Amino acid sequence: MWHFKYSEDYYPLVADLDADDAVQSMRALPQHAPGVSCYHHSVLVSYLSYRICRRFGLDARAAARGGLLHDLYLYNWLDKSTHPNCNHAFEHPLIALKHAKARFPITEKEADIIATHMFPLPLTRPYGCLESFVVSTADKLCAVAELLRLVPHLTGPEETATPCLSTPSVVK
């Protein structure tokens, strides 16, 4: 994975999620820009949300976990045949929440983070906590960074030999 400054504090919060096959399967799903998978996007959102929440005394654990699971919809959103009768922009948060609840014990705050991360799409699903606002904002910032090809500048080079977050490199 990338060189995250606070990997030693962050990783234990999401290690059980990262070890799950469904979370790892997100590596094969495209995200906002070529070369960035749904998994990598979710890790970036998770870590950024963790850092912001930690800095402001919010629930950094819920932000890290909800951030990692926010896009656990498990289909190629660019291929409409993989999700017929589904308006991805509006419905994928609830699909991700359903998958997350089926695989993990999800707290109420984590559920809110996952379900509301696309606000204001839809307007009927507003944030229920500040952590949801943080993750949603981080999601949008990371998407823009991906589209502008800024991810390598923000994260440092990816270590291709590292199969997952379970062996983080720490930059002091």
Side-chain angles (χ1 to χ4, degrees):
M1 206 54 236
W2 296 291
H3 294 277
F4 289 147
K5 187 173 181 181
Y6 297 97
S7 296
E8 291 175 345
D9 297 329
Y10 164 76
Y11 185 69
L13 303 177
V14 298
D16 62 318
L17 307 179
D18 190 57
D20 187 81
D21 290 340
V23 172
Q24 288 298 314
S25 76
M26 295 186 334
R27 289 174 178 273
L29 299 173
Q31 196 59 356
H32 303 107
V36 180
S37 70
C38 184
Y39 173 82
H40 291 104
H41 165 77
S42 295
V43 169
L44 288 174
V45 170
S46 173
Y47 183 74
L48 178 59
S49 300
Y50 160 78
R51 291 288 311 274
I52 292 168
C53 286
R54 182 176 167 203
R55 170 68 177 93
F56 290 103
L58 299 173
D59 189 343
R61 180 182 190 276
R65 294 174 70 80
L68 188 58
L69 299 175
H70 82 281
D71 278 344
L72 190 69
Y73 48 81
L74 305 177
Y75 57 79
N76 181 346
W77 72 277
L78 298 172
D79 180 356
K80 299 246 186 246
S81 70
T82 64
H83 56 286
N85 306 317
C86 173
N87 183 330
H88 178 76
F90 288 88
E91 296 176 42
H92 85 268
L94 297 180
I95 294 168
L97 179 58
K98 177 182 164 191
H99 289 266
K101 283 183 170 182
R103 301 186 81 83
F104 310 105
I106 300 295
T107 67
E108 190 174 314
K109 194 175 285 187
E110 292 164 356
D112 187 74
I113 288 167
I114 297 165
T116 64
H117 80 270
M118 287 298 289
F119 185 77
L121 296 176
L123 287 171
T124 58
R125 222 177 300 132
Y127 309 125
C129 57
L130 286 174
E131 292 83 358
S132 293
F133 171 75
V134 170
V135 172
S136 178
T137 303
D139 181 37
K140 290 158 182 60
L141 289 171
C142 289
V144 169
E146 292 162 22
L147 289 169
L148 295 177
R149 310 261 195 276
L150 297 175
V151 172
H153 302 289
L154 300 174
T155 61
E158 185 176 0
E159 299 172 356
T160 55
T162 304
C164 64
L165 285 174
S166 61
T167 54
S169 295
V170 180
V171 175
K172 302 266 181 188

